[in-house]
């Protein structure tokens, strides 16, 4: 049996029920076959066994009291996966679907994504099954304070630096930072995604969406075209989706769809981003309200954004939202490129279908790495006690995303798999971490 197969069987047997983690581990490990064959020292040093086992996984009770005086209990998670190349780094997801398997899939992916940025950050992820939707500001504060009252023991500017993710935006990061400071008495860059008045970085809010578009543009340019004049389908209407739409529009594309967990809009004239921002960022409302601002747009609760004929698709909502059926609709309509803004939004069958139909496909761990890269730039600014301008950060982000594209393309080429950016991203991300682990001995 191959080394990869042996480790995968063991990962699946040792982590029963964690289907998203199995999916992520399978996708990464299967694309490392050639690398581990070429480097027998990885097997000798149990690199795959060690990289698939988190350094530690912390689970804890998060009690909080609602506005009616009723107590609730949620479960908190922090999985510190790998710190071979830097302190653990990865977001905190607040969503009712959160469980250990989802946090482990995200933490595992984060190892390779963070490595691809070229910056010194390890992989981790956390969150809770708490649902922030419909909660009052006081309830959110209460939850965040309770969450950090336990989490603070395990994090620190040189230890583990969490950030936002689904359900955790600037407000939640602010409450968590305040609680950490209150408990420890230490003012340090322990979280990223902070507000600009207390150590946040300019361009962090925009970074994941902008970065996704910079990488997509670079990938298209390398294939003789660009976003200019292209029609684009975006899914989601959160942080990543909004800023991907903004940058793609700036580069001359026309974004015609966006979605949320209840429905989606198709606006043939191009999405009116000001209207979306007002609904989602200001009022925290539903996308169904979009029609009030743009009567000609269509809102639907059935079907999906992938049924619209577009040149480029940017899935920016959540995992496994683009399945084989969605992929088939896109290919039928002659999509040229798909780049993942969300983490693992395409199912393995969809990815395979894109690749076998010669669609340029950029996986999330490369395409959405701009967020964590800019978080690492926020850490640098905090350590230096300096802040850079928007243009400085944006310029660095652009450079990082271009490098990521060229590194993953080169890694794919080296192993004779030209344009297979899934394999390229896994190999390029893995090698740096694996070599650091080798250098540091069996830990
Ligand atoms: P937000 O919470 O800001 O937005 C998430 C969007 O996806 C919302 O429109 C939400 O709809 C929709 N959504 C969430 N869950 C589901 C679901 N189960 N089905 C359908 N739609 C859903 O999150 P972000 O934009 O920050 O994150 C989006 C994705 O990008 C995630 O996969 C995240 O891990 C990834 N990512 C984010 C980074 C960042 O910097 N923010 C960095 C790298 C990756 P609704 O409004 O109805 O909840």
């Amino acid at each position: 049996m191959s080394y990869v197969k042996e480790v995968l069987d063991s990962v699946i047997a040792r982590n029963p029920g964690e289907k998203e983690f199995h999916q992520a581990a399978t996708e990464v490990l299967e694309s490392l076959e050639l690398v581990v064959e070429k480097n027998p020292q990885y097997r000798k040093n149990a690199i795959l066994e060690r990289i698939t086992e988190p350094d530690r996984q912390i689970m804890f009770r998060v009690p909080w009291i609602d506005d009616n005086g009723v107590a609730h209990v949620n479960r908190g998670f922090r999985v510190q996966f790998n710190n071979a190349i830097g302190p653990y780094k990865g977001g905190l997801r607040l969503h009712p679907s959160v469980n250990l398997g989802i946090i482990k899939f995200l933490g595992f992916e984060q190892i390779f994504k963070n490595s691809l940025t070229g910056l010194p950050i390890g992989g981790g992820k956390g969150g809770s099954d708490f649902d922030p939707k419909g909660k009052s500001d006081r309830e959110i504060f209460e939850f965040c304070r309770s969450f950090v009252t336990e989490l603070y023991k395990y994090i620190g500017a040189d230890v583990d630096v969490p950030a936002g993710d689904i359900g955790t935006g600037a407000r939640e990061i602010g409450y968590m930072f305040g609680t950490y400071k209150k408990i420890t008495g230490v003012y340090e860059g322990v979280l990223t995604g902070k507000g600009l008045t207390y150590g946040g970085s300019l361009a962090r809010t925009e970074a994941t969406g902008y970065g996704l578009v910079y990488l997509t543009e670079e990938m298209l340019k390398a294939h003789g075209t660009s976003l200019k004049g292209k029609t684009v389908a975006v899914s989601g209407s959160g942080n990543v989706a909004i800023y991907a739409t903004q940058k793609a529009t700036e580069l001359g594309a026309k974004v015609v769809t966006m979605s949320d967990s209840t429905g989606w809009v198709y606006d043939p004239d191009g999405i009116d981003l000001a209207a979306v921002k007002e609904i989602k960022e200001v009022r925290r409302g539903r996308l169904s309200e979009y029609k009030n601002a743009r009567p000609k747009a269509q809102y639907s609760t059935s079907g999906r954004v992938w049924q619209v004929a577009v040149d480029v698709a940017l899935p920016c909502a959540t995992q496994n939202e683009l399945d084989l059926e969605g992929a088939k609709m896109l290919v039928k309509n002659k999509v040229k490129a798909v780049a993942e803004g969300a983490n693992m939004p395409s199912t393995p069958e969809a990815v395979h279908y894109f690749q076998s139909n010669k669609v340029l496909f950029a996986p999330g761990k490369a395409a959405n790495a701009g967020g964590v890269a800019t978080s690492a730039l926020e850490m640098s600014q905090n350590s230096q006690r300096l802040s850079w301008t928007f243009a400085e950060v944006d310029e660095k982000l652009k450079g990082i995303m271009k490098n990521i594209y060229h590194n993953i393309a080169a890694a794919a080429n080296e192993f004779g798999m030209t344009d297979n950016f899934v394999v390229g991203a896994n190999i390029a991300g893995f090698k740096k971490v694996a070599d650091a682990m080798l250098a540091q001995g069996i830990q």
Side-chain angles (χ1 to χ4, degrees), residues 134-299:
K135 302 290 189 298
S136 71
D137 208 42
R138 195 205 60 82
E139 289 171 331
I140 298 282
F141 175 68
E142 176 86 1
F143 170 83
C144 291
R145 186 162 58 173
S146 180
F147 184 74
V148 173
T149 301
E150 181 63 24
L151 184 71
Y152 90 95
K153 297 170 189 165
Y154 311 102
I155 60 177
D158 293 319
V159 180
D160 181 355
V161 184
D165 189 65
I166 292 180
T168 307
R171 173 180 59 169
E172 291 74 20
I173 292 291
Y175 292 158
M176 290 184 192
F177 183 79
T179 306
Y180 180 87
K181 180 167 62 74
K182 173 94 179 169
I183 296 174
T184 62
V186 179
Y187 202 109
E188 61 175 7
V190 65
L191 287 151
T192 57
K194 299 186 292 297
L196 294 176
T197 51
Y198 63 97
S201 174
L202 283 162
R204 172 62 189 91
T205 308
E206 294 82 358
T208 307
Y210 278 21
L212 168 67
V213 173
Y214 292 146
L215 184 133
T216 307
E217 181 76 342
E218 199 64 17
M219 176 169 77
L220 290 173
K221 277 192 178 157
H223 293 82
T225 180
S226 76
L227 275 166
K228 199 166 180 355
K230 299 274 187 303
T231 317
V232 179
V234 167
S235 65
S237 50
N239 172 267
V240 180
I242 285 177
Y243 292 97
T245 299
Q246 182 165 314
K247 185 53 73 178
T249 309
E250 264 175 52
L251 295 187
K254 183 163 77 170
V255 177
V256 291
T257 68
M258 285 187 102
S259 65
D260 64 14
S261 47
T262 27
W264 59 284
V265 290
Y266 169 55
D267 190 337
D269 297 333
I271 291 286
D272 176 350
L273 202 57
V276 174
K277 282 186 176 182
E278 169 65 25
I279 297 166
K280 296 309 261 190
E281 292 188 333
V282 181
R283 295 208 305 274
R284 295 176 190 267
R286 313 302 306 155
L287 214 49
S288 50
E289 299 162 35
Y290 184 80
K291 266 187 81 67
N292 302 340
R294 304 272 282 192
K296 275 205 267 166
Q298 296 165 22
Y299 174 77

Side-chain angles (χ1 to χ4, degrees), residues 304-325:
R304 279 106 52 80
V305 300
W306 318 125
Q307 69 196 57
V308 175
V310 289
D311 305 304
V312 175
L314 304 175
C316 297
T318 193
Q319 65 270 5
N320 293 329
E321 54 163 321
L322 206 182
D323 58 9
L324 182 58
E325 193 197 338

Side-chain angles (χ1 to χ4, degrees), residues 66-146:
D66 70 19
D67 288 345
N68 299 317
V70 178
H72 298 264
V73 174
N74 284 101
R75 185 172 284 175
F77 301 88
R78 187 71 185 165
V79 173
Q80 297 180 331
F81 230 113
N82 187 297
N83 66 353
I85 63 168
Y88 307 106
K89 178 100 201 82
L92 296 170
R93 177 172 293 191
L94 301 183
H95 193 272
S97 64
V98 163
N99 57 40
L100 184 61
I102 289 191
I103 297 299
K104 279 170 72 175
F105 121 63
L106 291 163
F108 183 66
E109 288 279 299
Q110 199 82 43
I111 304 172
F112 308 100
K113 180 191 305 194
N114 292 3
S115 163
L116 284 174
T117 66
L119 300 167
I121 38 178
K125 196 82 187 188
S128 171
D129 57 1
F130 173 75
D131 186 358
K133 269 201 201 99
K135 302 290 189 298
S136 71
D137 208 42
R138 195 205 60 82
E139 289 171 331
I140 298 282
F141 175 68
E142 176 86 1
F143 170 83
C144 291
R145 186 162 58 173
S146 180

Side-chain angles (χ1 to χ4, degrees), residues 312-367:
V312 175
L314 304 175
C316 297
T318 193
Q319 65 270 5
N320 293 329
E321 54 163 321
L322 206 182
D323 58 9
L324 182 58
E325 193 197 338
K328 283 184 172 168
M329 292 192 275
L330 285 165
V331 169
K332 192 165 148 246
N333 286 324
K334 303 206 167 25
V335 73
K336 290 176 185 61
V338 177
E340 297 185 322
N343 284 314
M344 207 167 75
S346 317
T347 63
E349 298 77 25
V351 175
H352 188 252
Y353 194 75
F354 289 135
Q355 291 177 326
S356 50
N357 283 281
K358 302 270 177 277
V359 174
L360 297 171
F361 177 81
K365 68 171 71 68

